[in-house]
Amino acid sequence: MEQYKQEFIEFMVDCEVLRFGDFVTKSGRKTPFFINTGFYRTGAQLKKLGEYYAKAIETAFGTDFDVLFGPAYKGIPLSVAAAIALDENYGASIRYCSNRKEEKDHGDKGILLGGPVGDGDRVVIIEDVTTAGTSIRETVPLLKAQGDIKLAGLVVSVDRMERGTGTVSALEEIRTTYDLPVTSIVTMAEVVEHLYNRPYKGKVLIDDSIKEAIDRYYEQYGA
């Protein structure tokens, strides 16, 4: 596993974004692990997060695209932080863009904020975590309504590796449905590989009992 992936897993733990125990996801699934990107709360954390996203984007898609689109609300700071990191680390001048939940009818009018999206633009979508793919199913029509755009990729922080509406993973469904390349900074398999029975700062986060719970979860919901 690449060094930056190991560092990102530990970064999530340090920020309390990645936790283990008993939780319920938005889709109603009981899960032994939870990822809440709302716990990235400081400027330093967002700067570092943007750098990890930029690394994953550059590795998977390169930097030959025009717009980095972050769906409201969590995608707004992600698109800004990653766009800054793409400029600083790779010299790529990428427009950031997000949507409003309600269209604005005065001043900076419209449904979008940030850089414009239009004909010929190549767009990479940036998300926090995709479980069922609901947000993307709302985002793609919104983007295509802006003009003849090309969907150049989707990046998420963690691939939960769960089934979507069918038998394959939510990310795989998105890839095939929208002909959209997808990537993640890390997968849950990589998280387990890095943390299982391995102390981090004096504590084993995935011991045998947590590992067993994760295995049971994937027996039920895994792709």
Side-chain angles (χ1 to χ4, degrees), residues 132-144:
T134 305
S135 175
I136 297 301
R137 291 180 178 88
E138 296 171 351
T139 298
V140 170
L142 185 155
L143 285 171
K144 291 197 169 181

Side-chain angles (χ1 to χ4, degrees), residues 37-56:
T37 56
F39 276 79
Y40 296 119
R41 292 174 172 171
T42 70
Q45 289 171 345
L46 282 175
K47 182 178 186 297
K48 201 167 184 180
L49 178 63
E51 291 169 352
Y52 287 121
Y53 266 111
K55 174 66 174 175

Side-chain angles (χ1 to χ4, degrees), residues 8-24:
F8 179 66
I9 293 167
E10 294 170 3
F11 172 64
M12 286 194 293
V13 172
D14 290 341
C15 295
E16 299 184 341
V17 166
L18 173 63
R19 293 180 292 163
F20 299 92
D22 295 308
F23 308 96
V24 178

Side-chain angles (χ1 to χ4, degrees), residues 69-73 76 96-117 138-147:
F69 185 87
Y73 287 104
I76 297 174
Y96 89 91
C97 183
S98 296
N99 62 301
R100 298 180 171 97
K101 289 292 187 179
E102 297 179 356
E103 191 163 352
K104 189 177 177 184
D105 60 4
H106 62 281
D108 182 17
K109 295 181 180 180
I111 196 68
L112 303 182
L113 56 89
V117 180
E138 296 171 351
T139 298
V140 170
L142 185 155
L143 285 171
K144 291 197 169 181
Q146 308 308 311

Side-chain angles (χ1 to χ4, degrees), residues 162-211:
E162 296 176 36
R163 292 195 307 272
T165 57
T167 58
V168 300
S169 74
L171 281 185
E172 179 62 17
E173 282 186 353
I174 290 165
R175 186 187 70 79
T176 55
T177 300
Y178 300 107
D179 190 24
L180 176 62
V182 297
T183 195
S184 62
I185 303 175
V186 295
T187 67
M188 272 307 298
E190 290 170 329
V191 170
V192 173
E193 175 189 340
H194 186 60
L195 294 178
Y196 178 45
N197 276 345
R198 180 179 298 173
Y200 176 64
K201 294 187 175 178
K203 183 177 181 180
V204 174
L205 298 169
I206 303 181
D207 57 16
D208 289 337
S209 63
I210 294 293
K211 175 66 162 57

